[in-house]
């Protein structure tokens, strides 16, 4: 079978007749996806050739989108094929195939999770909080396509960032010397700019000095030397870099896609001399560092060479994403930082929302919504763990629990107490009693018994596993069940923590909800954690009925639902029955 790289090369070198062009483009598109190309890269290189040979832009996009989605469609077909049982021969009972095994998620080794590590969607805790605090629309983080006249992006940048009578320097990346040119000589050559930029295409791309190297005729000082600094962080995803630039309100003259794995921001420094430039750069870098955005110290130089838009870098476009974003100038931005960037919530106005927002989806009718904390309380050794497992299985199938309807959702059960074999045996015992197949793929579990993680590290691990399951395994967990909650405190890392155990546990629960949007469910003994009880959105308490064996009274109080009228239930192993 031909390698993906060979398929791509063959397509680029071969001229096809109109009848074969679409099918060959499709094959090349699939190979490009296998090689790790982005859709944008394939559209530019493979699509460009197909368009030159007669395919319309719409036809090219349609073919490549089919190629890039073929893997997903194939996996979907496999799932359907696995789920559809074969027809039984006449007179023979149909064969009932068991459902796929439950999802088992293994813990990371101790010490591998920290607040600085990447979590969901390439965004860590800090960057997600920044987006939420400053109400940045996630749509704003998508990297736009190059403009149709992207070869003119250098001229657009120069018009925004420099004066026409100033001199700039640029060079091909791997050459030692730069070429000096008047800005006007580039900006005014509109018709020839495409040819000029093509001559700079190369494997390593082209660079431009971020500040002018010679002032204009009216310059009275050397401020033109200290106008900008360029920042980026290639270790972050493109969307994450954009999240920082937008959420931190950086005074950007321009944003440039480097043609590799970063977005360079041209930050307005506006210093009058080197001393002021260094002071402002120090403030900029210190502020970004405090928010988790690390920058190479080489970027501090006023003669730093940044990526020049309008050229190809190894076949990929260096192009202008946008201009004039954020604060108007450095002084305005610095004031904004001092008044707003303290990590605390910002003032919001009731007028921001003309209508009340839609409430989160209901998980258990009149008991629990997504994003809420549910606490189940009962006496010691009364069957709390089995009750939580029973609840999880009910939610997976959309079956009633304690007489209340549930909506079918994926559930992630965090097991701190039982061995894997005991846990699965209990799950299958419940399934058999209820006539439900315990091997449902909607029930995932994470075994953390004996894992030494602090409560905060536990929250981060859970959030990372949920996001990974969503991106890689097509599971959308909406409920997290933690059993037992007290086990989180019983390891050396947790024991070294100072502060109230109740508050530490609540911080973990709030972090899971903030990072995932899931409902969090857990159980404890009656009156074991009064602080958790006061903070919970929903509380169900079971109290023994005096003189009656295995009979309990249920009481429920809820923040968002009417209080439950007291009723009785029986414990008939392994379930509570209303």
């Amino acid at each position: 079978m031909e390698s993906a790289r060979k398929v791509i090369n063959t397509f680029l070198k071969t001229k096809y007749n109109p009848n074969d062009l679409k099918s060959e483009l499709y094959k090349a598109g699939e190979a490009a996806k296998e090689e790790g190309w982005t859709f944008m890269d394939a559209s530019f290189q493979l699509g460009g050739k197909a368009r030159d040979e007669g395919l319309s832009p719409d036809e090219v996009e349609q073919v490549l989108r089919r190629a890039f989605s073929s893997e997903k469609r194939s996996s979907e077909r496999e799932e359907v094929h696995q789920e559809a049982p074969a027809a039984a021969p006449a007179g023979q009972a149909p064969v009932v195939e068991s459902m796929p095994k439950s999802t088992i998620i293994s813990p990371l080794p101790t010490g591998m999770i920290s607040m600085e590590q990447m979590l969901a969607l390439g965004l860590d805790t800090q960057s997600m909080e920044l987006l939420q605090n400053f109400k940045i629309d996630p749509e704003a983080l998508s990297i736009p396509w190059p403009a149709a006249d992207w070869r003119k992006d250098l001229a657009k940048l120069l018009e925004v960032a420099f004066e026409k009578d100033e001199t700039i320097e640029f060079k091909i990346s791997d050459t030692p010397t730069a070429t000096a040119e008047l800005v006007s000589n580039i900006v005014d050559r509109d018709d020839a700019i495409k040819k000029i930029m093509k001559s700079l295409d190369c494997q390593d791309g082209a660079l431009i000095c971020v500040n002018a190297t010679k002032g204009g005729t009216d310059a009275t000082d050397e401020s033109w030397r200290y106008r900008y600094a360029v920042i980026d962080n290639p270790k972050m995803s493109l969307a994450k870099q954009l999240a920082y630039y937008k959420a931190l309100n950086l005074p950007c003259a321009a944003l440039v896609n480097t043609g590799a794995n970063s977005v360079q921001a041209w930050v307005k420094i506006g210093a009058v001399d080197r001393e002021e430039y260094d002071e402002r750069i120090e403030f900029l870098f210190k502020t970004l560092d405090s928010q988790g955005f690390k920058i190479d110290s080489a970027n501090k130089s006023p003669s730093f060479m940044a990526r020049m838009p309008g050229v190809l870098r190894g076949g990929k476009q260096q192009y202008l994403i946008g201009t004039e974003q954020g604060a108007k100038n450095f002084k305005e931005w610095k004031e904004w930082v001092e008044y707003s960037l303290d990590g605390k919530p910002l003032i919001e106005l009731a007028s921001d929302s003309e209508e009340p927002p839609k409430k989160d989806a209901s998980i258990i009718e009149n008991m629990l919504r997504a994003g809420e904390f549910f606490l189940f309380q009962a006496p010691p050794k009364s069957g709390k763990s089995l009750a939580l497992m029973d609840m999880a299985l009910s939610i997976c199938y959309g079956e009633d629990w304690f007489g209340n309807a549930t909506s079918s959702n994926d559930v992630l059960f965090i097991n701190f107490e039982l061995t894997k074999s005991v846990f699965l045996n209990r799950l299958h015992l419940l399934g058999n009693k209820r006539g439900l197949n315990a091997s449902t793929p909607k029930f995932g579990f994470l075994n953390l018994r004996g894992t030494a993680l602090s409560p905060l590290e536990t929250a981060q691990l859970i959030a990372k596993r949920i996001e990974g399951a969503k991106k890689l395994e097509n599971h959308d967990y909406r409920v997290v069940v933690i059993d037992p909650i007290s086990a989180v405190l019983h390891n050396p890392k947790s024991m070294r923590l100072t502060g109230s155990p109740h508050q530490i546990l609540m911080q973990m629960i709030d972090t899971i909800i903030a990072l995932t949007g899931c409902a969090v469910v857990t159980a404890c003994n009656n009156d074991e954690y009064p602080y958790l009880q006061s903070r919970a959105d929903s509380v169900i308490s079971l109290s023994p009925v005096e003189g009656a064996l295995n009979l309990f009274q249920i009481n429920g109080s809820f923040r968002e639902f009417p209080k439950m009228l007291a009723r009785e239930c029986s414990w008939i192993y392994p379930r509570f029955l209303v």
Side-chain angles (χ1 to χ4, degrees):
M1 186 175 180
E2 284 186 300
S3 69
R5 171 52 56 185
K6 187 175 180 181
V7 170
I8 294 169
N9 290 338
T10 301
F11 177 79
L12 293 173
K13 293 176 183 177
T14 307
K15 185 171 179 64
Y16 298 98
N17 63 56
N19 295 328
D20 297 334
L21 186 54
K22 281 188 179 181
S23 61
E24 295 300 327
L25 175 60
Y26 180 82
K27 292 177 186 176
E30 286 192 310
K33 186 177 188 299
E34 185 180 333
E35 281 286 291
W37 287 26
T38 65
F39 180 80
M40 187 182 294
D41 294 336
S43 180
F44 177 71
Q45 296 193 59
L46 304 179
K49 179 182 185 299
R51 285 189 290 270
D52 289 343
E53 293 191 9
L55 282 188
S56 70
D58 287 344
E59 288 176 316
V60 168
E61 181 169 356
Q62 186 180 38
V63 171
L64 287 177
R65 287 204 181 279
R66 281 197 300 111
F68 268 64
S69 63
S70 62
E71 182 179 319
K72 181 176 184 295
R73 293 200 316 276
S74 175
S75 65
E76 289 171 349
R77 284 196 299 269
E78 288 174 6
E79 289 173 7
V80 171
H81 179 72
Q82 290 170 0
E83 291 173 3
Q92 183 178 324
V95 178
V96 179
E97 296 183 5
S98 62
M99 296 181 72
K101 299 289 184 181
S102 300
T103 306
I104 304 172
I105 309 176
S106 303
L108 280 177
T110 302
M112 287 188 68
I113 305 296
S114 68
M115 184 62 83
E116 287 71 35
Q117 285 183 292
M118 299 287 283
L119 285 176
L121 295 172
L123 303 178
D124 62 13
T125 307
Q126 281 182 308
S127 54
M128 284 192 289
E129 287 177 351
L130 282 170
L131 292 178
Q132 291 169 350
N133 289 345
F134 298 107
K135 295 184 283 188
I136 303 299
D137 185 349
E139 288 294 320
L141 304 187
S142 60
I143 306 296
W145 287 67
D149 60 347
W150 70 276
R151 286 289 190 181
K152 298 180 180 180
D153 280 356
L154 174 61
K156 297 175 188 176
L157 173 63
L158 296 184
E159 283 190 295
V160 169
F162 300 97
E163 299 295 333
K164 281 193 173 184
D165 57 355
E166 291 175 346
T167 300
I168 53 102
E169 288 188 353
F170 60 92
K171 67 171 188 171
I172 292 175
S173 292
D174 59 354
T175 56
T177 57
T179 300
E181 192 67 68
L182 269 174
V183 170
S184 60
N185 289 346
I186 299 174
V187 172
D188 293 339
R189 296 181 66 179
D190 186 64
D191 294 336
I193 194 71
K194 185 175 180 180
K195 185 176 181 180
I196 294 171
M197 302 316 292
K198 274 190 173 183
S199 68
L200 298 173
D201 292 347
C202 64
Q203 185 62 34
D204 296 319
L207 305 173
I208 180 174
C209 185
V210 300
N211 287 294
T213 53
K214 185 177 179 182
T217 54
D218 296 332
T220 56
D221 54 32
E222 292 196 333
S223 59
W224 43 269
R225 293 185 185 273
Y226 310 113
R227 200 175 288 151
Y228 305 108
V230 166
I231 61 168
D232 67 343
N233 188 328
K235 294 181 180 179
M236 291 182 177
S237 67
L238 298 179
K240 185 175 176 181
Q241 291 174 69
L242 274 184
Y244 270 94
Y245 300 155
K246 292 177 183 291
L248 296 181
N249 196 31
L250 286 175
C252 298
L255 296 172
V256 176
N257 190 322
T258 66
N261 56 347
S262 70
V263 175
Q264 290 188 333
W266 286 55
V267 180
K268 301 173 186 176
I269 302 299
V272 297
D273 54 31
R274 183 59 188 260
E275 183 180 358
E276 186 177 42
Y277 182 86
D278 289 341
E279 287 176 1
R280 292 187 172 190
I281 288 290
E282 195 61 34
F283 181 84
L284 171 66
F285 276 52
K286 185 177 179 181
T287 301
L288 290 170
D289 187 74
S290 71
Q291 301 300 319
F293 193 95
K294 310 293 182 184
I295 310 170
D296 192 328
S297 58
N299 295 50
K300 293 182 177 182
S301 170
S303 56
F304 179 77
M305 300 293 281
R307 288 290 158 185
M308 186 168 73
V311 300
L312 290 179
R313 177 186 184 185
K316 297 183 179 182
Q317 295 144 300
Q318 294 181 176
Y319 65 92
L320 200 59
I321 291 175
T323 60
E324 296 299 339
Q325 174 189 289
K328 292 180 181 178
N329 52 53
F330 191 89
K331 183 180 179 181
E332 181 184 287
W333 177 71
K334 187 175 181 182
E335 289 179 352
W336 179 88
V337 168
E338 291 169 349
Y339 285 113
S340 305
L341 199 60
D342 54 8
K344 303 298 189 295
L346 296 177
I347 294 172
E348 295 189 59
L349 302 177
S351 59
D352 289 343
S353 301
E354 294 183 5
E355 297 179 359
K358 186 178 179 181
K359 291 185 177 181
D360 293 318
S362 176
I363 303 293
I364 305 176
E365 186 180 28
N366 295 323
M367 280 191 184
L368 180 65
R369 286 194 182 97
E372 293 183 345
F373 170 38
F374 183 107
L375 184 64
F376 182 83
Q377 297 184 135
K381 304 298 180 183
S382 60
K384 293 187 294 296
S385 293
L386 282 163
L388 292 184
M389 201 174 289
D390 192 34
M391 174 199 279
L393 202 56
S394 297
I395 294 171
C396 288
Y397 281 98
E399 297 282 338
D400 287 5
W401 183 75
F402 273 84
N404 290 69
T406 70
S407 60
S408 178
N409 283 279
D410 287 1
V411 180
L412 178 59
F413 201 107
I414 314 300
N415 171 38
F416 276 104
E417 185 174 46
L418 306 174
T419 63
K420 178 180 170 182
S421 61
V422 170
F423 180 88
L424 287 173
N425 272 280
R426 284 191 174 190
L427 181 63
H428 282 264
L429 174 64
L430 277 166
N432 291 336
K433 286 285 184 181
R434 300 188 58 182
L436 300 175
N437 190 340
S439 297
T440 169
K442 296 182 77 68
F443 190 113
F445 60 96
L446 181 60
N447 284 312
L448 295 184
R449 178 178 175 173
T451 304
L453 296 172
S454 71
L456 184 57
E457 289 174 328
T458 300
Q460 293 167 347
L461 172 60
I462 292 169
K464 188 170 186 176
R465 288 292 182 266
I466 287 173
E467 189 58 35
K470 187 173 184 178
K471 293 175 71 173
L472 305 176
E473 300 168 4
N474 201 29
H475 287 288
D476 187 13
Y477 293 108
R478 305 307 299 149
V479 182
V480 174
V481 181
I482 302 174
D483 182 50
I485 190 72
S486 57
V488 178
L489 299 171
H490 299 161
N491 70 69
K493 274 198 169 187
S494 297
M495 291 176 182
R496 290 196 293 267
L497 296 174
T498 58
S500 163
H502 301 228
Q503 292 176 331
I504 291 171
L505 290 176
M506 197 64 230
Q507 180 192 36
M508 178 189 74
I509 292 165
D510 283 341
T511 302
I512 294 171
I513 292 172
L515 292 178
T516 67
C518 293
V520 174
V521 178
T522 192
C524 66
N525 297 330
N526 286 335
D527 302 321
E528 182 179 9
Y529 291 114
Y531 182 73
L532 293 188
Q533 182 178 345
S534 68
R535 289 289 308 277
D537 299 287
S538 302
V539 179
I540 294 288
S541 299
L542 267 61
S543 305
V545 174
E546 190 173 349
L549 186 65
N550 292 335
L551 190 64
F552 295 84
Q553 185 180 68
I554 310 172
N555 288 282
S557 58
F558 313 98
R559 196 185 307 278
E560 294 295 323
F561 302 104
K563 191 171 182 177
M564 177 192 291
L565 295 176
R567 48 182 164 165
E568 291 184 347
C569 72
S570 302
W571 169 248
I572 302 176
Y573 184 82
R575 301 184 66 208
F576 288 100
L577 299 177
V578 177

